[in-house]
Amino acid sequence: MFEKTVFVEGISGGVQVDAPFVVDAADLREKRGGKYIQLTISDRTGRGTCKVWGTPDLSVEQIEAFCRAIRPGEVYRIQGYAKVFNGSCEVNVNDGIVGLSTPVPADSVDPSWFMYAPVDRECVCEELGRMTAKIADPGIYALVSGVMNTTAGFLEAPAAKRRHHAYMGGLAEHTLETAKIALSLADTVNRSEMDTDVLLAGALLHDIGKALCFRRQGFSFVALPEYTLVGHTTLGAAVLLRHSAGVDPSRFAHILHILMSHHGPHGEVLPRTPEAWAVHFADNASATLRAACDDTADLAPGEERQGARTGGQVYRF
């Protein structure tokens, strides 16, 4: 049985690390004269970054082979030391690279150490039900409840690989936040006269395709090729089209437009209605604020750093 005396939340500069962690992602990165592996590691207390440099005698090909062999979602022994770089704490691995050759046997660890799921999924599920119940049109209500109840993984999947809500239950949490913010925008803007049934349906279903972009592996979720090869908006549109019966064609087209345009200026389809813009702004607000909150969570007053999720400088007053 492995011992686990170090958790992500307890890692700080100067700490020696030798403990099992889930590897959520492994990426090969360039460095001067070679390559290294960047890992996203996690346990029940949170997520962290690990840079695997290896030893001087290892060739680029050997580093690449180590990276290819890593199975995201599995538990690995991480041996290294932690230091602060650009304001963020990360574990550096040299000799400990051998621990990445094979996962830790499942029967030698306590599963309760590893599942990072900060969401109260039962509460989120209940709130999603209450938001759906606000939809007055029977056809649109049936569309939303039918899609959410039959799309496997909707309540468990993350909302993204890294940036925001990137944890179990994150997709449902992000969906709920987006619906709440969108409805608040409609209630706040004077004389907006938005179709709140369509607005809520678009907000609650805007990211439904992401449930089809991940699969459970070990203690984590890994992105499927569809995540980048097809995209979640296309997958989401296909799901909606299978449930369109019973919805007024014009209102269904509007809901579909909201889903396809929710990335705003960054998407292929631009929002063309107040409802579509409201969902875009709500989606962006949920994602950006979650990223900013997570990037500043462990900063002390007066500290700043480059945010791993926001991609910019963050600061805590």
Side-chain angles (χ1 to χ4, degrees), residues 48-73:
T49 300
C50 176
K51 290 182 177 177
V52 183
W53 306 101
T55 54
D57 59 302
L58 291 176
S59 66
V60 170
E61 290 75 17
Q62 288 173 305
I63 296 291
E64 292 174 341
F66 270 106
C67 188
R68 286 195 302 270
I70 293 171
R71 300 203 299 266

Side-chain angles (χ1 to χ4, degrees), residues 2-303:
F2 265 77
E3 292 291 328
K4 184 166 174 63
T5 57
V6 178
F7 287 82
V8 169
E9 67 178 4
I11 297 176
S12 59
V15 170
Q16 289 292 132
V17 176
D18 185 356
F21 294 88
V22 177
V23 172
D24 294 295
D27 299 301
L28 203 61
R29 301 288 178 89
E30 300 284 341
K31 69 174 183 178
R32 185 177 298 175
K35 295 182 179 181
Y36 69 96
I37 306 168
Q38 180 157 312
L39 305 178
T40 301
I41 60 173
S42 68
D43 56 31
R44 70 186 183 206
T45 68
R47 276 207 169 94
T49 300
C50 176
K51 290 182 177 177
V52 183
W53 306 101
T55 54
D57 59 302
L58 291 176
S59 66
V60 170
E61 290 75 17
Q62 288 173 305
I63 296 291
E64 292 174 341
F66 270 106
C67 188
R68 286 195 302 270
I70 293 171
R71 300 203 299 266
E74 300 290 341
V75 175
Y76 288 84
R77 182 182 182 184
I78 302 298
Q79 298 171 273
Y81 64 96
K83 74 172 185 177
V84 176
F85 178 73
N86 282 343
S88 297
C89 188
E90 57 191 31
V91 180
N92 288 263
V93 174
N94 298 115
D95 293 338
I97 191 172
V98 296
L100 297 172
S101 58
T102 55
V104 173
D107 59 0
S108 65
V109 294
D110 183 344
S112 68
W113 293 338
F114 300 111
M115 194 62 72
Y116 178 52
V119 180
D120 184 338
R121 285 188 286 164
E122 185 175 334
C123 180
V124 168
C125 185
E126 290 175 357
E127 287 198 66
L128 283 169
R130 286 194 288 269
M131 292 299 289
T132 305
K134 294 178 183 290
I135 298 173
D137 183 288
I140 296 178
Y141 174 82
L143 167 70
V144 174
S145 59
V147 169
M148 289 199 301
N149 290 333
T150 61
T151 302
F154 172 65
L155 293 175
E156 291 80 31
K161 289 195 291 186
R162 291 183 183 85
R163 187 187 163 207
H164 70 93
H165 301 84
Y167 40 74
M168 185 174 291
L171 174 58
E173 183 180 56
H174 169 62
T175 297
L176 176 62
E177 291 172 359
T178 300
K180 285 181 173 180
I181 296 168
L183 192 59
S184 177
L185 289 172
D187 290 340
T188 301
V189 177
N190 292 330
R191 301 179 304 282
S192 63
E193 298 180 355
M194 294 189 201
D195 185 336
T196 54
D197 280 359
V198 166
L199 176 76
L200 276 173
L204 290 166
L205 300 177
H206 80 283
D207 265 351
I208 196 69
K210 284 186 176 176
L212 309 179
C213 291
F214 293 91
R215 66 175 170 83
R216 179 76 175 269
Q217 183 167 295
F219 292 98
S220 187
F221 277 81
V222 297
L224 297 168
E226 289 85 345
Y227 188 96
T228 52
L229 295 180
V230 180
H232 69 276
T233 53
T234 301
L235 294 170
V239 172
L240 263 64
L241 287 166
R242 292 197 295 271
H243 291 78
S244 62
V247 184
D248 175 81
S250 177
R251 297 181 96 188
F252 178 79
H254 195 172
I255 296 167
L256 193 59
H257 169 66
I258 292 173
L259 183 149
M260 296 302 297
S261 66
H262 75 267
H263 288 148
H266 307 291
E268 292 185 4
V269 178
L270 292 177
R272 293 193 179 187
T273 67
E275 292 86 354
W277 277 110
V279 172
H280 162 60
F281 289 136
D283 171 51
N284 198 38
S286 169
T288 302
L289 291 174
R290 179 74 273 150
C293 289
D294 289 346
D295 277 349
T296 57
D298 59 349
L299 290 179
E303 285 188 343

